[in-house]
Structure formats: C-alpha cells, structure tokens
C-alpha cells in the first residue's frame, strides 16, 4: 500500500500532462539524434529516415510503458524513461556497412532475447563490468562519436560546402548557445539545453536559407507500424556477440539508475525487482529489432527531472510514454527532426557526445580507486586501444572478414581490452562488491542530478 501511495499521490490531470511533456522534452534530443546519425551513415532515403524517426519515438514510448508497468514478470515499476542506447550507434553502423541492415536487426533481436533469458543472472554477469570497465567503455563511446559530430558540423563528409563559413557559423553558434544556456539557466530549462539549441540553430539556419521543408510537405499525417520495415533480419554470430556486449553495458548503467530512483522513492530494490527491470529492457531491445528501430536503455537525465520536480508518480511517466506513442504514429511530427541542418545537428552533438565522455569520467572519478596503479593501467590501455582503432581503422585491414567488426571498431576493441585487463588485475570480484559498486553508481547519479536541479 505504501508503494501505491507513493505512485498515486499526484492526480491533477493538467499538471500530470505538463510534467509528462517535460519528460518527453528532456529525452527528445537524444531520441532523434540517434536515427539521424545512423540514417546518414547508412544512406537511407528521406522516406526511410522519416519512418525511422517515427518508429523510434513510438518504440521509446512502448519501451517506457513496459518498464513502468511493473508486473510480476517484467518492469521495475519505477518512474523511468527509456530511449535509444548511444553505445549502440557505432556498432550498428559498422555491422550495417559490413553485413547489411538485416544483420543489424538480427543482432539487436538476439541481444534482447539474451537479456530476457539471463535477466536473473545479470548480477553475476555485471561483475564483469565494474566501474573501471563501464567508465572506460562509456568514455570510449563518447570519444569515438565526437568525430561523427564534427563531420556533421562541417556540413557532412564529402559535401561540396564542407567546412564553409556558413556551416561553421551555425555549428559553433549552436554549441556556444548550449554552453551559455547551461551556464545561465537552471532546472528544467538547463535539462533541455540541447533541444533548445537545436531549435534556435534551425531557426537561424532558416533565415540563412539552409532549411529544407520538403520532408514535412511529403510526410503523411498517419502511418501504420510495419514490422521488419527494412527486410527480414539475418543472424550472424559476430554482430550478435557485439550487440550482446552493448546490451550488457546498457544493463550495467541501468542498474545505477534503478538504484538512484529507489533512493529517491525510499524504496529498497530486491534482486527480483532488478531482474524484472532487466527483463523489460530486454523486451524493449527485442521490440526495437522487430520494428527496425534501436536498442533501448534507461535514461538517467529523466532521473534528474524526477528529483527536481519532486513528483514521483508513475502516471506522469505513463503520460510521457503515451505521448511518444502518439507522436510515433504521426510522420509529420517525426519529419520535423529532418528540418535540422547537418551543421546545426553537429554543433549540438559535440555537446551531447561530450556529455557521454563526461559521464564516463564521472564513473571513473567517483567509483574507481585511482590510487591503484592497476586501475590506471586498465583505463590507459582500454581507452588507448579504443581511440587507436578509431583513428587508424586500417590497422587490421588484413584480418579475416569475420573479425573486422570486432577489431575494426574502437568501442568493441576498447571494451574487450578493459574486460580482459580487469579480470587479469582485479579478478571477477564478489557479488557483495558488485552490489556496493551499484550503490556508489546510484550515489554518483544522485549527486549529479542534485547539481542540475
């Protein structure tokens, strides 16, 4: 009964709707940036991109509702929002370029099934991913995505006006705008600084004649969901292993978010609660594969919104999830994201992906004993391997095709280096140690959200 009182305390419909909309706005930029990046890399058509953005928003909503539902089989039952997993971007692009789009979604579906089947054992699997590993991996992910941001900021690699003054002015202008918003605003406005930056940059680009309105004119007002829109998925072992690794890292990060929300709600989460949360995340990943969108994970930025507003009811998140589902059925709304010029998107992505880097640094700084030479060595070698492979991908050009995805991707190479070296220097660790680390991760998330609020 106490739990139900916590979740039903707030009932005013207008305020509930406005708070739900705030949660949507807080995660919207991250949700639409991922399909824009993947679509550009894979060469999707304008129509395909519109569908991808729409189905991504719809899947975010459904995934959120699955997680917040909280029944005896799946769902952690906390006010959490799910969105695209940033750590999946580079692996998905590389899999697509090497094995085709069908292999991406086969790997996503298989990784989701893996999470569902082994959700009860993740307490042991996560011991392979202590903070020294997850912090290194998240740092690598952010660093390897920064070049993508700068290529877009310049106007897109290979474009005729790449590096033009117009592109540079728009890109760096958006970045400066986001910096100033972060410096001089607080609370909710600060939490949507990237989204406001994208809007301001697009308006400025419109006055400069750099905005193309064709996607909105050509998009329909309603569409039906189409499973396997990009074709029947294929299942290849190396892409599957790659996406399973990505899924485990996502689950490790979600554990800290669950624990942080548990503290906000004064609720002690049991291992069964966490297992249901993992299972819902696995179902969300399978859903992303079936509808050809993305793997989904719990977003920590929405935890800050819960702490800032002091409204802890699930009905607010249900409204947010419902809004995303509705938006996902309206391609006209999804097409709005295509108005954002590449240079404007690139400027915002520098800040967005830079925050991914800072998240990794935060994990390392707050949860890793940096006085131990072994931990410093693990970080040094894993980040070095990740950056090295990213900058010089041709190093392993002579390797067999099946090994290219593993060796030619900085995130995967850096991740396996971190896992191996941690086992070599620190061993597997105990279950109690893993629980203590999850607690420290939750404290770090809470500390960060308090500063934001």
């Amino acid at each position: 009964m106490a739990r139900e009182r916590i979740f039903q305390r707030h009932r005013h419909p207008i305020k509930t709707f406005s708070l739900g909309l705030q949660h949507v706005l807080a995660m919207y930029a991250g949700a639409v940036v991922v399909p824009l990046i993947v679509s550009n890399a894979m060469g999707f058509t304008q129509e395909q991109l519109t569908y991808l953005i729409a189905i991504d928003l719809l899947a975010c909503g459904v995934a959120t509702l699955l997680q917040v539902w909280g029944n005896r089989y799946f769902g952690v039952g906390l006010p959490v929002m799910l969105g695209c997993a940033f750590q999946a971007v580079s692996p998905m692009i590389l899999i697509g370029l090497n094995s085709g789009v069908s292999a991406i979604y086969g790997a996503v579906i298989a990784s989701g099934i893996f999470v569902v089947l082994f959700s009860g054992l993740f307490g042991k699997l996560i011991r392979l991913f202590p903070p020294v590993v997850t912090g290194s991996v998240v740092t690598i992910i952010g660093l390897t995505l920064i070049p993508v941001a700068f290529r877009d900021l310049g106007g897109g690699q290979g474009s005729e006006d790449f590096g033009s003054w117009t592109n540079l002015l728009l890109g760096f202008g958006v970045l400066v705008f986001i910096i100033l918003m972060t410096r001089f605003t607080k609370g909710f406005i600060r939490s949507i600084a990237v989204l406001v930056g994208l809007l301001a940059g697009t308006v400025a680009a419109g006055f400069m004649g750099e905005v193309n309105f064709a996607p909105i004119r050509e998009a329909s007002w309603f569409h039906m969901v189409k499973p396997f829109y990009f074709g029947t998925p294929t299942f290849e072992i190396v892409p599957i292993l790659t996406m399973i690794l990505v899924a485990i890292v996502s689950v490790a990060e979600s554990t800290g978010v669950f624990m942080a929300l548990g503290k906000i709600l004064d609720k002690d989460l049991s291992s069964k609660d966490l297992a249901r949360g993992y299972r819902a995340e696995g179902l969300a990943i399978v859903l992303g594969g079936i509808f050809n969108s993305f793997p989904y994970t719990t977003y920590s930025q929405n935890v800050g919104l819960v702490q800032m507003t002091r409204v802890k009811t699930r009905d607010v998140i249900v409204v947010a999830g419902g809004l995303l589902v509705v938006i996902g059925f309206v391609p006209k709304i999804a097409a709005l994201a295509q108005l954002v010029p590449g240079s404007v998107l690139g400027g915002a992505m520098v800040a967005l992906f830079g925050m991914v880097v800072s998240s990794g640094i935060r994990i390392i700084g707050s949860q890793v004993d940096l006085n131990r030479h072994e931990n410093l060595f693990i970080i040094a070698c894993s980040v070095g391997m990740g950056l090295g492979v990213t900058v010089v991908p041709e190093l392993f050009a002579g390797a067999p095709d099946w090994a290219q995805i593993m060796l030619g991707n900085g995130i995967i190479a850096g991740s396996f280096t971190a896992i191996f070296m941690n086992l070599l220097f620190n061993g597997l660790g105990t279950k109690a140690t893993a629980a203590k680390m999850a607690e420290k991760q939750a404290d770090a998330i809470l500390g960060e959200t308090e500063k934001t609020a």
Side-chain angles (χ1 to χ4, degrees), residues 138-201:
V138 173
T139 302
I140 294 167
I141 290 169
L143 290 173
T144 55
L145 287 172
I146 292 295
V148 176
F150 268 84
R151 281 194 290 270
D152 279 347
L153 188 152
Q157 190 68 49
S159 64
E160 294 181 0
D161 63 343
F162 184 80
S164 68
W165 282 109
T166 300
N167 289 331
L168 295 179
L169 181 63
L170 285 171
F172 285 110
V174 168
L175 179 59
V176 170
F177 183 86
I178 293 171
I179 292 171
L180 293 175
M181 280 201 66
T182 304
R183 171 62 181 85
F184 294 108
T185 62
K186 294 182 179 180
F188 175 66
I189 300 299
R190 176 185 284 186
S191 72
I192 62 168
V194 172
L195 179 61
V196 176
L198 285 171
L199 292 174

Side-chain angles (χ1 to χ4, degrees), residues 199-237:
L199 292 174
T202 302
V203 170
F207 283 111
M208 299 169 69
E210 296 293 321
V211 174
N212 177 18
F213 291 93
I216 292 183
R217 289 196 299 268
E218 297 172 8
S220 61
W221 280 104
F222 178 81
H223 73 156
M224 288 302 297
V225 175
K226 300 176 184 178
F228 309 122
Y229 177 83
F230 291 104
T232 304
T234 57
F235 299 90
E236 300 179 20
I237 185 63

Side-chain angles (χ1 to χ4, degrees), residues 364-445:
I364 292 171
S366 63
Q367 303 171 52
V368 179
D369 183 2
L370 296 178
N371 291 317
R372 293 188 68 231
H373 176 73
E374 293 87 345
N375 287 335
L376 292 174
F377 200 55
I378 293 169
I379 297 166
C381 291
S382 58
V383 174
M385 178 66 77
L387 284 179
V389 171
T390 300
V391 175
V392 192
E394 64 272 17
L395 180 66
F396 298 106
D401 291 340
W402 62 267
Q404 283 296 316
I405 291 179
M406 306 297 286
L407 298 175
N409 184 293
I411 295 172
I412 304 304
S415 299
F416 275 107
T417 301
I419 294 170
F420 172 76
M421 291 187 65
N422 178 66
L423 289 174
L424 181 65
F425 288 108
N426 296 327
L428 186 58
T430 64
K431 189 175 181 179
T433 301
K436 185 177 179 181
M437 291 302 180
E439 190 80 10
K440 290 180 69 175
Q441 185 181 0
D443 289 339
I445 291 172

Side-chain angles (χ1 to χ4, degrees), residues 232-287:
T232 304
T234 57
F235 299 90
E236 300 179 20
I237 185 63
V238 176
I240 288 173
L241 290 174
T242 302
M243 294 312 296
I244 285 176
L245 175 63
V246 170
I248 293 174
V249 172
S250 295
V251 168
E253 292 184 13
S254 295
T255 303
V257 177
F258 295 155
M259 300 288 282
L261 274 169
K263 289 190 173 188
I264 293 173
L265 299 174
D266 295 321
K267 173 178 169 55
D268 293 327
L269 297 177
S270 67
S271 58
K272 290 184 179 180
D273 290 326
L274 293 175
R276 286 194 292 269
Y278 302 151
R279 205 170 292 126
E281 197 158 305
L283 288 172
I285 295 171
V286 173
L287 181 75

